[in-house]
Amino acid sequence: MSGIEISELLEKSKELDLLRKQQDDHLQEINKIHKKLQSTPEAVAEKSGDIMLTRLRNLYVTVKELSDNEVSVSSALMNHLDALLQSGLSAAQRKKIEVSEQKKKRMKSESDISRFPSAASMRSQLEQAANLKGEQVAARVTDDAENAEKDEWFIVKVIHFDKDAKEFEVLDEEPGDDEESVQRKYKLPMSRIIPFPKKNDPSSALDFLPGRQVLAVYPGTTALYKATVVNHRKRKSDDYVLEFDDDEEDGSLPQRSVPFYKVVPLP
């Protein structure tokens, strides 16, 4: 913050003080006329009364102008202070604000991405969903009511899609030990299914840039977890290097390689 900037700020403050003093002086004179009119109301009928009323009106006009000027100078002072505060921020603080704004914009744009990206209408979405029969997809199979705090996604196989009910029937081919290794079927709405990119068609996959949060299959499992993209891929067929949330080892997050066809947008 330079001395010139401080000087400009002080000049504006002096201007504001002067405007308030002028207003106070005029208001005192207005009060004097009010008292005189109250004590001798008959004076209004005389010639001197016209002069007094004219003077009173002129005083009100002046006070209004001073008040308008005070608003203008106050606004200029606030803008000046905002500019000084912004310029006084450290580079790190400015970067933090900038990144925060970019993140908000990115989150908004990401939330607009359809889980069936090539669909231009509900009809085409339904057809694309029907074509997933026999394919593996990411599914949230936990019940919303019973697991309100959980957001668990697993790989399942699509058995059938009911276009009328807009509902998938899926099979969990590799259940955990707690389910006694019995394959289970689920009926799930479209909102709880995310198609994987085609393994033999990298062009069908979205390109997630470094820093983007995604949902990805954790290596060696059939479960998907939230992760952050670390690397910049040269080709769409290249694997992603990811850091999974809550995957800490020795105080840091290990970077894990995941095939592109096992990475999907974060819901």
Side-chain angles (χ1 to χ4, degrees):
M1 189 181 296
S2 69
I4 296 175
E5 291 171 327
I6 294 294
S7 176
E8 291 175 354
L9 183 66
L10 293 175
E11 284 298 321
K12 285 291 181 184
S13 298
K14 288 180 182 178
E15 187 178 348
L16 187 62
D17 288 338
L18 179 61
L19 286 168
R20 287 176 177 171
K21 185 179 182 305
Q22 289 174 338
Q23 285 185 77
D24 289 340
D25 291 343
H26 283 75
L27 287 171
Q28 286 179 11
E29 192 169 348
I30 287 173
N31 288 333
K32 288 179 183 178
I33 296 175
H34 282 171
K35 288 178 180 179
K36 190 170 184 179
L37 289 172
Q38 288 173 352
S39 61
T40 56
E42 65 277 4
V44 177
E46 300 174 0
K47 186 176 180 180
S48 59
D50 291 342
I51 296 173
M52 194 183 306
L53 292 175
T54 301
R55 173 62 179 160
L56 185 61
R57 185 184 184 283
N58 290 337
L59 285 169
Y60 274 122
V61 170
T62 303
V63 168
K64 182 180 181 302
E65 291 175 352
L66 290 170
S67 179
D68 291 341
N69 289 338
E70 181 184 359
V71 171
S72 177
V73 174
S74 297
S75 297
L77 264 172
M78 287 189 290
N79 292 335
H80 197 62
L81 284 167
D82 288 341
L84 288 176
L85 287 169
Q86 185 67 26
S87 66
L89 291 174
S90 67
Q93 288 172 314
R94 285 198 299 272
K95 184 66 177 174
K96 187 176 180 180
I97 293 172
E98 202 174 295
V99 169
S100 177
E101 291 300 320
Q102 289 175 351
K103 186 177 179 181
K104 288 178 184 177
K105 291 178 181 177
R106 188 177 69 221
M107 288 175 68
K108 182 180 185 305
S109 64
E110 289 173 4
S111 67
D112 293 336
I113 295 177
S114 169
R115 293 178 185 173
F116 298 87
S118 64
S121 66
M122 177 55 73
R123 182 178 177 182
S124 56
Q125 283 191 17
L126 294 175
E127 297 207 347
Q128 187 176 5
N131 290 334
L132 290 173
K133 183 177 179 180
E135 298 283 342
Q136 286 188 328
V137 296
R140 184 184 179 190
V141 298
T142 50
D143 183 74
D144 290 330
E146 296 178 3
N147 300 276
E149 295 182 358
K150 294 183 178 181
D151 192 16
E152 298 176 341
W153 292 79
F154 300 95
I155 297 176
V156 296
K157 182 178 180 180
V158 176
I159 301 173
H160 175 69
F161 178 69
D162 187 331
K163 286 187 178 182
D164 294 327
K166 298 181 180 63
E167 190 175 64
F168 284 94
E169 183 177 2
V170 300
L171 175 68
D172 186 358
E173 298 178 287
E174 297 183 29
D177 295 334
D178 58 330
E179 297 175 1
E180 301 178 356
S181 299
V182 177
Q183 293 185 338
R184 294 186 60 182
K185 293 181 180 180
Y186 301 90
K187 288 189 176 182
L188 303 172
M190 293 176 68
S191 60
R192 288 164 66 176
I193 297 290
I194 306 178
F196 285 114
K198 299 292 184 184
K199 183 177 180 179
N200 58 354
D201 183 15
S203 64
S204 67
L206 293 171
D207 191 19
F208 303 116
L209 298 177
R212 170 82 177 267
Q213 287 193 315
V214 295
L215 198 63
V217 179
Y218 190 86
T221 74
T222 58
L224 291 90
Y225 298 96
K226 186 164 72 171
T228 302
V229 177
V230 175
N231 69 321
H232 180 76
R233 301 181 310 149
K234 293 182 179 179
R235 296 172 299 178
K236 296 196 77 172
S237 59
D238 290 345
D239 288 354
Y240 280 101
V241 176
L242 306 175
E243 289 181 350
F244 285 88
D245 288 13
D246 304 319
D247 187 30
E248 190 170 322
E249 288 184 0
D250 300 324
S252 62
L253 293 176
Q255 296 182 353
R256 304 189 185 277
S257 181
V258 179
F260 75 90
Y261 52 86
K262 290 187 177 181
V263 181
V264 295
L266 184 69

